[in-house]
C-alpha cells in the first residue's frame, strides 16, 4: 500500500510537454523535429549514460507555451528531470518578474505551498545579480523548483531577467541507476 501511495504522489508531479517519467529521449526529439525547433543533444564526457536534450524555438517561444526552451535529462534512456526556461533579451525584467510571480502562484495552487530555497544578491563590477529559488517536495525525492535570476547593469542602466521551472524525480533516477547496476 505504501508503494502505491508513493507512485500516486510521483504521478501527481508529472513533467510537462506530454512526456512522462522514464520516457526515452525519442519523444522529445520527435516533438522538436515535428515543430521545426532547434535541438541540441549533449552527452557529458564524465557521464556517458546521461543525455541532455535541449529544445528551443529559433525565435520567440515554444509552440503553445510562453517558455523559450525546455531541457530533458535522461539517464540510461529514461527521463528523470525536465527544466522549462522562461525569458529572453527582448522581454523586460519587469514583465518577467510579473510572469515569475504568476507562475509561483499557479504552482502553489496546483501543488501546494512552496518553500524558500535561497535568496541572494551580489554586486560585482557594477553588476547586481539577484537570485531566488522556491521548491515543493510532494514526496521525498520528487521535486518541483522555480528559480529566478535577474542581472542589472548599473553603468548602462539595463536589467535582464529569466526564470526556470524544474521537475525532478530522484526516486526514478535511483531506480534507473539500480536497474543498470543489476544488468
Amino acid at each position: 500500500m505504501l508503494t502505491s501511495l508513493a507512485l500516486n504522489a510521483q504521478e501527481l508531479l508529472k513533467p510537462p510537454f506530454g512526456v512522462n517519467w522514464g520516457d526515452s529521449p525519442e519523444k522529445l526529439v520527435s516533438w522538436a523535429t515535428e515543430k521545426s525547433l532547434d535541438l541540441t543533444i549533449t552527452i557529458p564526457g564524465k557521464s556517458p549514460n546521461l543525455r541532455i536534450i535541449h529544445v528551443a524555438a529559433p525565435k520567440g517561444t515554444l509552440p503553445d507555451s510562453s517558455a523559450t526552451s525546455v531541457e530533458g535529462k535522461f539517464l540510461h534512456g529514461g527521463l528523470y528531470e525536465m527544466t522549462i526556461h522562461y525569458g529572453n533579451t527582448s522581454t523586460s525584467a519587469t514583465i518577467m518578474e510579473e510572469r515569475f510571480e504568476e507562475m509561483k502562484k499557479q504552482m502553489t495552487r496546483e501543488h501546494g505551498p512552496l518553500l524558500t530555497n535561497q535568496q541572494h544578491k551580489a554586486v560585482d563590477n557594477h553588476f547586481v545579480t539577484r537570485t531566488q529559488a522556491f521548491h515543493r517536495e510532494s514526496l521525498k525525492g520528487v521535486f518541483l523548483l522555480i528559480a529566478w535570476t535577474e542581472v542589472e547593469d548599473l553603468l548602462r542602466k539595463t536589467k535582464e531577467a529569466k526564470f526556470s521551472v524544474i521537475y525532478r524525480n530522484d526516486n526514478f533516477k535511483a531506480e534507473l541507476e539500480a536497474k543498470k547496476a543489476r544488468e
Side-chain angles (χ1 to χ4, degrees), residues 24-176:
S24 74
E26 184 57 35
K27 199 168 194 178
L28 198 54
V29 170
S30 294
W31 174 72
T33 304
E34 174 189 317
K35 301 293 184 182
S36 301
L37 300 170
D38 294 341
L39 177 70
T40 304
I41 301 172
T42 304
I43 303 171
K46 292 186 179 183
S47 301
N49 294 315
L50 178 64
R51 303 290 184 270
I52 302 169
I53 311 294
H54 183 86
V55 178
K59 282 188 172 186
T61 60
L62 296 172
D64 304 318
S65 173
S66 60
T68 51
S69 66
V70 64
E71 185 175 278
K73 289 188 178 179
F74 301 81
L75 185 63
H76 306 294
L79 177 71
Y80 74 92
E81 181 177 306
M82 183 148 241
T83 304
I84 299 88
H85 301 284
Y86 298 85
N88 55 47
T89 56
S90 65
T91 305
S92 77
T94 304
I95 290 172
M96 288 309 302
E97 186 170 15
E98 290 169 4
R99 290 179 183 171
F100 172 76
E101 291 299 330
E102 183 53 41
M103 181 65 73
K104 225 170 65 170
K105 288 176 187 173
Q106 179 184 337
M107 289 169 59
T108 298
R109 283 190 305 270
E110 292 175 6
H111 303 287
L114 300 173
L115 300 174
T116 302
N117 266 23
Q118 82 172 51
Q119 293 189 20
H120 182 74
K121 177 180 175 181
V123 181
D124 184 31
N125 201 21
H126 302 287
F127 286 93
V128 179
T129 304
R130 293 178 191 88
T131 58
Q132 296 180 56
F134 303 88
H135 80 281
R136 173 88 177 145
E137 188 175 4
S138 57
L139 171 72
K140 184 171 174 43
V142 182
F143 297 92
L144 178 62
L145 183 126
I146 184 167
W148 163 266
T149 303
E150 176 184 87
V151 177
E152 181 178 3
D153 182 339
L154 297 173
L155 293 177
R156 292 167 193 81
K157 308 274 190 250
T158 60
K159 275 188 198 180
E160 286 186 24
K162 61 183 177 179
F163 67 93
S164 299
V165 177
I166 303 163
Y167 295 76
R168 184 175 172 101
N169 191 330
D170 283 338
N171 299 336
F172 193 73
K173 181 181 179 190
E175 285 179 32
L176 292 168

